[in-house]
Amino acid sequence: EADIYQTPRYLVIGTGKKITLECSQTMGHDKMYWYQQDPGMELHLIHYSYGVNSTEKGDLSSESTVSRIRTEHFPLTLESARPSHTSQYLCASSEYGGTARNEKLFFGSGTQLSVL
Amino acid sequence: GQQVMQIPQYQHVQEGEDFTTYCNSSTTLSNIQWYKQRPGGHPVFLIQLVKSGEVKKQKRLTFQFGEAKKNSSLHITATQTTDVGTYFCAGKTRTGFQKLVFGTGTRLLVSP
């Protein structure tokens, strides 16, 4: 089954701190995503990547940034965390075929971020 | 932008009762996927539907894709406590860059 890992699982930090949420996958998937999800709510796409050196902003405006230097690694960085950033952050990956029609997403276990 | 709504938002059933969640898109979709998220967990892929009017079954779960490819449904027959969770549909548009847009989700609670 899917091997996609997120660390840390939980993070509590103070306002103004810089943080990086880690996401790695060992499936060789080209496409990776970051979603933000509040408890019991829908998932909002904040960043995605087609592959190495490719990053795009998603539908939900976010003050975070991402990088994709290696296929397997897609970290998300918040330069200055605020209480409004408190949420669950889910990383996902998928194979990227030419037609992009069969794009099953594999999700990591998520990082629950609390900014005080 | 594209919106995907699900109804109901929440449903509480007794074990053994049936359950249905409906997914409606504001735009025509190229395909639709369904995911299940257990409480405290992450979404897990269930199935993908591609063809107009397609129906697929997985044991007690039946998935349908509408003829116009703008709506879908998930029906669970004789619910069990293990069915508890939030069910999300996720649709992909037919135009432009094909991104998955997740629905608002239906939270299912099953009492024994």
Side-chain angles (χ1 to χ4, degrees), chain B residues 4-84:
Chain B
V4 181
M5 304 296 293
Q6 284 182 250
I7 54 171
Q9 191 173 4
Y10 169 80
Q11 187 151 8
H12 184 181
V13 301
Q14 293 294 122
E15 191 170 25
E17 292 181 337
D18 292 355
F19 159 77
T20 304
T21 172
Y22 300 90
C23 174
N24 295 288
S25 170
S26 58
T27 58
T28 305
L29 302 170
S30 62
N31 64 51
I32 194 150
Q33 298 179 2
W34 284 91
Y35 291 80
K36 176 183 178 182
Q37 185 174 23
R38 294 182 185 273
H42 57 276
V44 175
F45 175 84
L46 294 176
I47 207 160
Q48 175 173 280
L49 304 170
V50 177
K51 299 177 182 176
S52 170
E54 188 171 12
V55 178
K56 286 188 177 180
K57 292 190 175 185
Q58 287 181 350
K59 297 182 181 179
R60 296 179 293 104
L61 278 61
T62 302
F63 304 84
Q64 287 189 306
F65 200 8
E67 293 290 341
K69 301 186 78 173
K70 293 183 73 173
N71 56 69
S72 180
S73 65
L74 158 58
H75 178 82
I76 301 178
T77 304
T79 55
Q80 299 174 358
T81 54
T82 53
D83 295 325
V84 164

Side-chain angles (χ1 to χ4, degrees), chain A residues 6-10 88-91 107-112, chain B residues 42:
Chain A
Q6 288 186 246
T7 57
R9 184 75 177 89
Y10 301 94
Q88 175 167 240
Y89 293 84
L90 288 161
C91 181
F107 283 88
S109 298
T111 294
Q112 180 60 51
Chain B
H42 57 276

Side-chain angles (χ1 to χ4, degrees), chain A residues 36 38 82-89 112-116:
Chain A
Q36 185 175 340
D38 292 325
R82 296 206 300 272
S84 60
H85 295 137
T86 295
S87 187
Q88 175 167 240
Y89 293 84
Q112 180 60 51
L113 174 65
S114 296
V115 184
L116 307 178

Side-chain angles (χ1 to χ4, degrees), chain A residues 21-48:
Chain A
L21 308 185
E22 300 289 347
C23 177
S24 294
Q25 51 96 2
T26 59
M27 296 172 283
H29 287 168
D30 289 318
K31 214 164 178 185
M32 296 189 73
Y33 315 75
W34 276 101
Y35 286 89
Q36 185 175 340
Q37 183 185 33
D38 292 325
M41 304 298 285
E42 64 203 278
L43 285 77
H44 294 286
L45 180 66
I46 50 176
H47 296 284
Y48 60 97

